[in-house]
Amino acid sequence: MKLLVLATALGCGIVGGVFFAFSTFIMKALARLPAPQGIAAMQSINIVVINPAFIAALFGTGLLCAVLVFTGGGSEVPYARWAAIAYLVGTIGVTMAGNVPLNDRLAKLDPQAESSAAVWQDYVRVWTRWNHMRTAAALVACVGLMMGMPERLSENWGRQGPFSERSGGGRLEAPLRCRFGSACRHKPHRSESGPAFLRQPLSNSNQRDLVLVEEGIGLIQVRQISDHTAFQCSSRPSSLE
């Protein structure tokens, strides 16, 4: 499920980035050209953009969002369903209802006709407004999908990396990461030197105490304190229950 959410967020970010470029400088550059040149350039863009890479990014992301609407994305990404809806409605929906009809009308326009200049000016104004909407929707969806993922990724890394229970032979095994106030339910006590500690027994096969040292934010440096293994933890001990 996390891979699905990450892939969807990546797709939203890519599509949002493409549309962001049109909103911020491409359409402005085309509007500065003489009308016949601007119309011809945009007609060419609308033809070239229909390619496998862009179609896969736009509608492939939409397919992934549709899956998230039904699955919810899991408890680790609380806004996944709403983010997916934002992309489907605000990006795919706006594209099909707003930008595509304008592109179809532009494709029938003769760049050299005298009446085309006024049509082009109106096209640039309305098309860009729709594009702002679908850009915002794609980027909001990307942010919504990423909310909560850094924490989940750090926890997964901690389970596989050096922040785990030390067993025989110096090999690091079972998951170990103290998250004050949630995963950890141990009462703090203070040493004479001041820092707050948590003591937690290890497995039956290894009765050394695990010392968790509260200091700073982030994943955790390991060092030996006599017969203890010390881990710096990320939150304040006052949040412990």
Side-chain angles (χ1 to χ4, degrees):
M1 184 61 69
K2 290 186 288 292
L3 291 178
L4 172 63
V5 174
L6 284 173
T8 309
L10 178 62
C12 291
I14 291 172
V15 172
V18 172
F19 293 155
F20 180 81
F22 276 90
S23 283
T24 54
F25 61 88
I26 293 177
M27 296 307 295
K28 292 180 181 179
L30 294 178
R32 296 180 64 179
L33 296 173
Q37 296 179 25
I39 294 169
M42 192 64 188
Q43 287 174 334
S44 179
I45 290 173
N46 289 337
I47 293 171
V48 173
V49 77
I50 304 175
N51 63 75
F54 181 74
I55 295 301
L58 179 64
F59 293 106
T61 301
L63 179 61
L64 296 179
C65 285
V67 174
L68 287 178
V69 169
F70 289 101
T71 63
S75 59
E76 65 269 17
V77 188
Y79 304 110
R81 179 176 282 114
W82 293 109
I85 292 173
Y87 182 87
L88 290 172
V89 175
T91 300
I92 299 293
V94 166
T95 296
M96 301 309 296
N99 296 94
V100 169
L102 289 171
N103 292 341
D104 290 342
R105 288 197 291 270
L106 186 72
K108 301 174 183 178
L109 200 64
D110 179 6
Q112 303 300 327
E114 294 184 0
S115 61
S116 296
V119 176
W120 168 244
Q121 291 178 359
D122 185 65
Y123 171 91
V124 170
R125 177 179 56 82
V126 177
W127 191 97
T128 304
R129 184 171 60 201
W130 285 116
N131 193 68
H132 291 337
M133 294 175 61
R134 63 181 182 173
T135 300
L139 296 179
V140 166
C142 179
V143 172
L145 290 167
M146 292 303 297
M147 290 181 67
M149 289 303 294
E151 179 180 351
R152 300 296 300 178
L153 290 173
S154 67
E155 289 176 6
N156 291 340
W157 185 86
R159 285 195 287 268
Q160 300 170 4
F163 312 110
S164 55
E165 187 175 305
R166 184 177 292 276
S167 64
R171 193 158 57 92
L172 296 173
E173 295 180 347
L176 176 65
R177 181 165 183 251
C178 176
R179 295 180 61 218
F180 288 117
S182 57
C184 191
R185 290 291 183 269
H186 303 278
K187 299 293 183 181
H189 62 86
R190 291 191 173 274
S191 67
E192 294 180 358
S193 59
F197 290 83
L198 297 173
R199 291 184 181 273
Q200 166 184 317
L202 297 180
S203 64
N204 293 332
S205 62
N206 188 341
Q207 293 300 324
R208 292 177 301 168
D209 284 342
L210 174 66
V211 183
L212 301 178
V213 185
E214 187 272 326
E215 181 178 342
I217 296 177
L219 290 172
I220 301 164
Q221 296 179 347
V222 181
R223 66 182 186 275
Q224 293 292 326
I225 301 178
S226 63
D227 62 339
H228 298 105
T229 303
F231 294 77
Q232 293 179 353
C233 289
S234 59
S235 301
R236 298 190 59 81
S238 58
S239 64
L240 282 171
E241 298 177 0

